[in-house]
Amino acid sequence: MHLAAIVAHPDDAEIFCGGTLAKHADRGDKVTVVYMTRGEYGGGSDTTKAEIAATREQEANTAAETLGVETAFLDYEDGRITYSLENRLQIVDTLREHRPDIVLTHFRDDMHPDHRTTSRLVTDAYYMSSLPLVETVNEPWEPQNIYYVGKPTSSFDPDVYVDISEYQSKKEDAIRDHESQVEWLQEHGGIDAEFDDLIEGVRAQARTLGRTRGVEFAEGFVPLHKHTTAYLD
């Protein structure tokens, strides 16, 4: 099975579904994290956007090695992902290029505009990816399902849970690989205050979800289709 997480920024996949990605990679599934942007707004005025982007790409690749996954970057601009037919077709072609069975992406209701737009683009591209008359570089492909990840501040209400008890530490290590962002969010949490202490916050969320399933740590998802032949577990 092949999983592809399509997320807006470096560190999004690690924070929201890093344990699940590591678990599937460990069992031999192919796992790819596709980053829409390089997160060049995630830094202070003492450096340039280009420097931040280069740092974050390097950190993402380091985190990928920790999780045992592959990476790809689509070169959208941080904070400026827009919904358009052109962008939707690019995501269609991305799905056709990577040919995942399961797609993971942001939940539609999220405080960050890049997350919301990514969710919509991926969802609509998922529908179009299998249509033979939608022409892109790569051949049509039909993923089996989308699983959405969300933030505690949204209306996200998971009904699929993955036990990541054996992978929580690896998930935390992968988040720490995003060293610049762990420091940045610690100092500039602001409206993202739930991530002021990023590692502790992520661990607490996983522990809370785990308790609902009788395990130590879990990650939660909302599937697009309730009945499917491709499952996260």
Side-chain angles (χ1 to χ4, degrees):
M1 185 164 64
H2 182 191
L3 279 66
I6 304 178
V7 294
H9 313 101
D11 76 12
D12 283 339
E14 292 82 347
I15 290 170
F16 297 120
C17 56
T20 299
L21 299 181
K23 184 175 185 177
H24 278 267
D26 190 45
R27 72 170 49 156
D29 292 335
K30 181 178 180 180
V31 181
T32 306
V33 181
V34 180
Y35 297 104
M36 299 284 284
T37 78
R38 286 174 169 78
E40 63 269 19
Y41 276 170
S45 58
D46 57 340
T47 187
T48 67
K49 288 187 289 186
E51 290 170 337
I52 295 169
T55 296
R56 297 199 68 181
E57 180 176 350
Q58 181 179 26
E59 290 173 344
N61 287 328
T62 300
E65 292 181 7
T66 297
L67 295 177
V69 307
E70 300 177 3
T71 60
F73 294 85
L74 296 185
D75 295 323
Y76 289 88
E77 295 182 307
D78 189 14
R80 290 152 288 178
I81 301 175
T82 58
Y83 188 91
S84 67
L85 177 59
E86 179 183 4
N87 289 347
R88 190 202 311 164
L89 289 174
Q90 182 176 7
I91 304 304
V92 168
D93 200 48
T94 297
L95 292 174
R96 291 174 170 182
E97 176 186 358
H98 293 284
R99 304 175 77 80
D101 300 292
I102 290 177
V103 180
L104 296 84
T105 195
H106 301 283
F107 188 62
R108 63 183 178 274
D109 178 17
D110 191 290
M111 182 167 52
H112 200 303
D114 281 350
H115 293 189
R116 295 195 303 270
T117 306
T118 297
S119 180
R120 186 181 174 194
L121 284 169
V122 172
T123 301
D124 291 354
Y126 162 83
Y127 170 75
M128 296 181 67
S129 178
S130 65
L131 302 180
L133 295 182
V134 177
E135 296 182 1
T136 65
V137 173
N138 292 286
E139 293 298 313
W141 174 252
E142 185 174 4
Q144 297 302 303
N145 208 358
I146 299 179
Y147 285 84
Y148 299 100
V149 299
K151 299 178 76 169
T153 51
S154 77
S155 61
F156 180 70
D157 185 18
D159 55 7
V160 170
Y161 298 84
V162 175
D163 178 4
I164 62 163
S165 300
E166 296 182 12
Y167 296 91
Q168 179 67 25
S169 61
K170 183 174 286 191
K171 169 178 178 165
E172 293 180 14
D173 287 343
I175 294 172
R176 290 189 185 94
D177 288 332
H178 293 274
E179 182 178 356
S180 68
Q181 294 311 292
V182 173
E183 180 180 354
W184 171 252
L185 288 173
Q186 182 70 35
E187 296 177 356
H188 302 87
I191 58 174
D192 268 344
E194 72 269 24
F195 292 144
D196 279 350
D197 193 335
L198 181 59
I199 302 296
E200 286 294 331
V202 167
R203 185 184 303 139
Q205 178 72 5
R207 182 176 288 115
T208 298
L209 291 174
R211 284 173 180 160
T212 69
R213 315 311 294 173
V215 300
E216 187 175 9
F217 296 107
E219 290 173 337
F221 303 85
V222 173
L224 178 63
H225 303 301
K226 302 297 183 183
H227 303 287
T228 178
T229 57
Y231 294 94
L232 286 179
D233 58 22

